[in-house]
Amino acid sequence: MTLHHFHLKGEWQGGRNSEGYIDAGELQTKISIPPEMDGPGVGTNPDEMLLGAAATCYIISLAAMLERAEIPVDTTSITSEGMVDVTNGIFTYEKIIHRPNITLKKEVTEQQTRLTNKLIEKAEKTCMISRAIKGNVQLELKPIVQIKE
């Protein structure tokens, strides 16, 4: 078994509507509560970081699977949306919707197109972050697969 360690240092000055700073190697940024939650909106926030972790893990997993399957991909992109419910002052990260957009090269076969659609689903199930939040945050896919003309 291999165990990887990741480290983060954080600072926070003041109360709820103050701001802080995190340093996690390549990720170095100011942090605060987002304006949607009546915060100052400085830097990033936990909601964006969770969405970013889920989206990047998913798209990297998908790209690796498409590469291993030798699918002729032209472009891969993603937009993702996170939804946070606030009920009785309790904030709950309810749902993440990933919208991967895959453009396949025109020489793609019908079988490769079908496999692409299967891998889109499989990537969500194998992504480390998806597995980490499973049972707590609903995950939904709304993919678009097209063939380059």
Side-chain angles (χ1 to χ4, degrees), residues 3 5 20 24 27 29-32 36 39 51 53 57 60 64 78 80 89 97 103 107 119 126 144 147:
L3 186 60
H5 295 260
L27 175 62
T29 185
K30 290 181 179 181
I31 56 170
S32 72
E36 297 87 350
L51 182 60
C57 182
I60 291 168
I78 190 168
S80 295
I97 301 172
T103 302
E107 66 265 17
L119 294 176
T126 59
I144 296 172
I147 300 171

Side-chain angles (χ1 to χ4, degrees), residues 13-28:
Q13 301 296 322
R16 180 193 187 278
N17 285 327
S18 295
E19 61 185 70
Y21 184 82
I22 60 168
D23 180 339
E26 293 297 318
L27 175 62
Q28 301 167 3

Side-chain angles (χ1 to χ4, degrees), residues 54-55 58 78-80 96-100 124 139-143:
Y58 172 75
I78 190 168
T79 60
S80 295
I96 292 175
I97 301 172
H98 293 311
R99 294 178 178 91
E124 186 61 56
L139 296 166
E140 184 177 332
L141 291 172
K142 294 185 176 182

Side-chain angles (χ1 to χ4, degrees), residues 10-141:
E11 297 177 8
W12 188 266
Q13 301 296 322
R16 180 193 187 278
N17 285 327
S18 295
E19 61 185 70
Y21 184 82
I22 60 168
D23 180 339
E26 293 297 318
L27 175 62
Q28 301 167 3
T29 185
K30 290 181 179 181
I31 56 170
S32 72
I33 296 173
E36 297 87 350
M37 296 177 179
D38 299 321
V42 175
T44 191
N45 58 70
D47 311 285
E48 290 174 344
M49 288 191 288
L50 180 60
L51 182 60
T56 55
C57 182
Y58 172 75
I59 199 71
I60 291 168
S61 297
L62 178 58
M65 290 178 170
L66 292 169
E67 180 181 63
R68 280 192 301 270
E70 299 181 355
I71 304 295
V73 175
D74 186 60
T75 60
T76 304
S77 63
I78 190 168
T79 60
S80 295
E81 178 181 1
M83 294 170 214
V84 176
D85 174 65
V86 183
T87 302
N88 298 324
I90 298 172
F91 294 79
T92 304
Y93 214 116
E94 294 246 325
K95 183 178 192 176
I96 292 175
I97 301 172
H98 293 311
R99 294 178 178 91
N101 190 328
I102 313 298
T103 302
L104 303 173
K105 294 180 180 176
K106 57 184 160 187
E107 66 265 17
V108 69
T109 66
E110 183 62 35
Q111 181 181 7
Q112 288 173 319
T113 302
R114 283 193 304 275
L115 180 55
T116 297
N117 286 303
K118 287 179 185 176
L119 294 176
I120 286 168
E121 296 289 329
K122 186 176 181 182
E124 186 61 56
K125 292 174 179 61
T126 59
C127 163
M128 168 179 67
I129 302 299
S130 298
R131 290 193 331 265
I133 63 177
K134 185 178 179 179
N136 292 308
V137 178
Q138 181 185 352
L139 296 166
E140 184 177 332
L141 291 172

